[in-house]
Amino acid sequence: MNGPTNPDMCEKQCLHQDRVDRVRGDMLADVAAEGLAEIFGLLGDRTRVRILHALSLGELCVCDISAVLGATSSAVSHQLRLLRTAKLVRSRKQGKMVFYTLDDEHVRQLFAQGLEHVLERR
Amino acid sequence: MNGPTNPDMCEKQCLHQDRVDRVRGDMLADVAAEGLAEIFGLLGDRTRVRILHALSLGELCVCDISAVLGATSSAVSHQLRLLRTAKLVRSRKQGKMVFYTLDDEHVRQLFAQGLEHVLERR
DNA sequence: CATTCATATGAATATATGCTCACTTGTTGA
DNA sequence: TCAACAAGTGAGCATATATTCATATGAATG
């Protein structure tokens, strides 16, 4: 009905067509943007950050993680499923227990990089 | 420290006290975990990812960003406020327009690192 | 001035997300 | 076979968050 013209998109005067065209051409593919948002989103939660950091220090079972974080094993298990699905952690079953380890070197580097950011901003 | 015993925290048999104690000692301070989650959370949204990527290609006004993303300038403005508050972008006023640029080198590196992850995962 | 326009912002709404609770699964050992 | 227990999961709830809509602000221009 309204067609492509959206009054909230200021298509009147301010648009720098050259710049816009150039940037449009270099923009990330949708999959890439989606993928980036997904991985960063996974790292963007306090509980998951702490789980991943704990695992970066060594292998732990669900119970241990719960104890370290002071969270219920249910909450931890829910989060571990997300991390497992995204292949950020790997699980190894041993009897009743399931041990988790980091399964992605990029995560370590992202952590280090992120920490630099956190520490250096002032 | 943990207060009352929580049945969901399996304090019975599986706990590897030595590991837990060691990891607890090396855990991130709360502020650090919170800070990490915050920065990653900001990067964990498709719209913000695309805004930041567009800005990594050069300075753009709000209107241009809207055009590049195909989003309303209102939506973009809201997101820019978050990014500005977190000092990930910087704004420069010129007449009616406001130009934005990336204001954080870490972001570029996080992007590169994140992209590697996205591209390399099987 | 009054108008137009780029940007910002508050309120409302829709959706996403994290946790708890109750329950299930699968394993160990009595 | 049965009880105990670690772990996983679905439902429900509470909160967070992204977008839209309406409106405000402030700058250029007639």
Side-chain angles (χ1 to χ4, degrees):
Chain A
M1 182 74 238
N2 282 354
T5 33
N6 183 329
D8 262 6
M9 274 195 225
C10 50
E11 312 206 355
K12 304 290 169 57
Q13 301 176 4
C14 85
L15 209 148
H16 307 87
Q17 199 63 52
D18 50 336
R19 270 191 238 195
V20 171
D21 288 341
R22 182 164 40 76
V23 172
R24 259 211 186 109
D26 290 341
M27 274 301 278
L28 284 170
D30 269 12
V31 258
E34 202 64 71
L36 272 177
E38 201 179 310
I39 176 70
F40 285 130
L42 275 170
L43 298 176
D45 172 79
R46 189 187 126 91
T47 300
R48 287 190 295 267
V49 161
R50 294 169 76 219
I51 290 176
L52 291 170
H53 183 248
L55 292 181
S56 80
L57 301 172
E59 190 183 53
L60 293 171
C61 73
V62 177
C63 190
D64 295 338
I65 301 173
S66 307
V68 169
L69 302 200
T72 66
S73 59
S74 176
V76 170
S77 205
H78 276 297
Q79 298 305 334
L80 282 172
R81 185 158 57 86
L82 297 181
L83 298 174
R84 218 183 322 122
T85 301
K87 295 218 194 322
L88 299 190
V89 302
R90 187 177 20 176
S91 64
R92 171 178 74 83
K93 196 161 185 180
Q94 180 180 309
K96 285 188 276 196
M97 291 178 281
V98 177
F99 286 90
Y100 281 85
T101 49
L102 270 197
D103 191 23
D104 195 306
E105 264 316 304
H106 295 303
V107 171
R108 283 180 207 278
Q109 298 182 293
L110 284 172
F111 253 75
Q113 205 90 53
L115 259 184
E116 256 185 66
H117 171 88
V118 169
L119 299 176
E120 282 183 26
R121 73 173 168 190
R122 230 15 57 168
Chain B
M1 175 202 262
N2 274 356
T5 37
N6 184 330
D8 262 7
M9 273 195 225
C10 50
E11 311 205 355
K12 305 290 169 56
Q13 302 177 3
C14 84
L15 210 147
H16 307 87
Q17 198 62 51
D18 51 335
R19 271 191 236 194
V20 170
D21 288 343
R22 181 164 40 76
V23 171
R24 258 210 187 109
D26 290 342
M27 274 301 279
L28 285 170
D30 268 13
V31 257
E34 200 65 70
L36 272 178
E38 200 180 310
I39 177 68
F40 285 130
L42 274 170
L43 298 176
D45 173 80
R46 190 188 124 90
T47 300
R48 288 191 294 267
V49 160
R50 294 168 76 219
I51 290 177
L52 291 170
H53 183 246
L55 293 179
S56 79
L57 300 172
E59 190 182 53
L60 293 170
C61 74
V62 177
C63 191
D64 296 338
I65 301 173
S66 307
V68 170
L69 302 200
T72 67
S73 60
S74 176
V76 169
S77 203
H78 276 296
Q79 299 304 334
L80 282 172
R81 186 159 56 85
L82 296 181
L83 298 174
R84 218 185 319 122
T85 302
K87 294 215 193 325
L88 298 190
V89 303
R90 188 177 20 179
S91 65
R92 173 177 73 84
K93 197 162 186 180
Q94 179 180 308
K96 284 187 277 197
M97 290 177 284
V98 178
F99 287 89
Y100 282 84
T101 50
L102 270 197
D103 191 25
D104 195 304
E105 265 315 305
H106 295 304
V107 171
R108 284 182 207 276
Q109 298 183 292
L110 283 173
F111 253 75
Q113 205 91 54
L115 259 184
E116 255 184 68
H117 170 87
V118 169
L119 300 177
E120 283 183 27
R121 74 175 165 188
R122 48 265 153 178

